[in-house]
Amino acid sequence: MITNEPSSPKNEFDYVGLIHNQVVSEFVKQTEGEKLTNEEVLDKVKTITLSNPDYAKRFGTEYLGLTIKQVNEGIKDFPNEFKNIINSLPISSEAKEIFNGLLNETFEIENSDLSYDRYREYVLILEEKIIDNKSLPKKEKEAVLCSTSVARYSSYLWFGKINEGSTSKKFFGWVIAGDVAGGILGAVFGGVVGAIGGASGGSSLVHTINESK
């Protein structure tokens, strides 16, 4: 049973992960047993996001999600743990190193007995370092903190579903990594709005692929 909550009041973008979990949970509920194309997944995520009260209260009808081109590039780069995508982003080398480190740790879930609490602790320590970081540009710091918020909440959601027996453990680390990678892409190109749309789309896509195996 997971007892430690994923929230972190120190992160001003903590709500990003919270809204992400609400959207993804609703997506899983609405699409159970359905076979969807990637385009249909992205359309469904957009509809659910825009109808989410917490999202609408903050952003109204503004929305930015993943593109099919980004999805295809992500699928191609999946075996490389998204390193090619991260390293091609228009951000500093410091930010790339941080994002690659976060994704490496996330993918490690699949290769070890890494628990939710251990992963959460890793993310919280990383966040503290980022909050105190004086060298990262403001937009890059925002993108990292949006992504760590997604990482905390996503791991809480999917580890919880494993414990409930409502989803397969096989490849579930990939789902969390899909969340994080989608959140990174969205945050870099679209700030907070993009982080929510990108992470929710990434999670829903990998979940859909995973459940169809």
Side-chain angles (χ1 to χ4, degrees):
M1 180 178 179
I2 294 178
T3 54
N4 288 320
E5 292 290 324
S7 60
S8 176
K10 292 181 180 180
N11 185 343
E12 62 181 302
F13 303 104
D14 192 64
Y15 63 87
V16 170
L18 177 61
I19 294 175
H20 158 275
N21 274 21
Q22 293 170 355
V23 170
V24 174
S25 295
E26 185 61 25
F27 175 88
V28 171
K29 178 181 173 184
Q30 288 190 20
T31 62
E32 184 177 3
E34 291 187 23
K35 290 188 178 298
L36 302 174
T37 65
N38 291 344
E39 290 87 350
E40 289 170 333
V41 170
L42 295 182
D43 286 344
K44 176 72 78 172
V45 168
K46 180 178 180 179
T47 299
I48 293 172
T49 302
L50 290 174
S51 64
N52 179 279
D54 290 338
Y55 182 92
K57 189 180 196 179
R58 288 179 180 273
F59 307 111
T61 58
E62 185 181 359
Y63 182 80
L64 179 67
L66 296 177
T67 65
I68 289 299
K69 181 181 178 183
Q70 288 174 327
V71 170
N72 291 335
E73 289 174 349
I75 292 172
K76 184 179 178 181
D77 202 29
F78 213 92
N80 196 41
E81 299 185 351
F82 301 122
K83 286 184 177 63
N84 292 329
I85 288 176
I86 297 301
N87 292 333
S88 70
L89 292 174
I91 54 177
S92 67
S93 58
E94 182 180 6
K96 290 175 183 177
E97 184 178 348
I98 293 167
F99 285 137
N100 278 320
L102 176 58
L103 283 166
N104 286 345
E105 191 73 16
T106 306
F107 274 103
E108 190 60 28
I109 292 172
E110 206 62 53
N111 303 319
S112 68
D113 294 326
L114 185 65
S115 68
Y116 163 73
D117 286 337
R118 282 177 57 200
Y119 182 73
R120 172 179 171 271
E121 186 64 22
Y122 162 81
V123 176
L124 288 172
I125 291 172
L126 173 61
E127 275 184 333
E128 296 235 357
K129 292 178 182 176
I130 299 306
I131 290 169
D132 294 335
N133 186 298
K134 300 293 191 285
S135 59
L136 272 180
K138 182 179 178 181
K139 286 188 176 181
E140 292 184 4
K141 180 180 277 195
E142 175 183 304
V144 174
L145 291 176
C146 285
S147 302
T148 55
S149 176
V150 167
R152 282 186 284 102
Y153 277 91
S154 173
S155 59
Y156 180 80
L157 173 67
W158 295 110
F159 271 101
K161 287 189 176 297
I162 291 298
N163 286 354
E164 294 166 6
S166 59
T167 193
S168 167
K169 187 172 182 180
K170 189 177 183 183
F171 306 132
F172 90 107
W174 294 15
V175 183
I176 301 172
D179 285 28
V180 176
I184 291 170
L185 277 173
V188 168
F189 292 111
V192 179
V193 168
I196 295 173
S200 301
S203 180
S204 300
L205 282 162
V206 183
H207 166 73
T208 301
I209 294 169
N210 188 25
E211 291 301 300
S212 68
K213 287 184 180 297

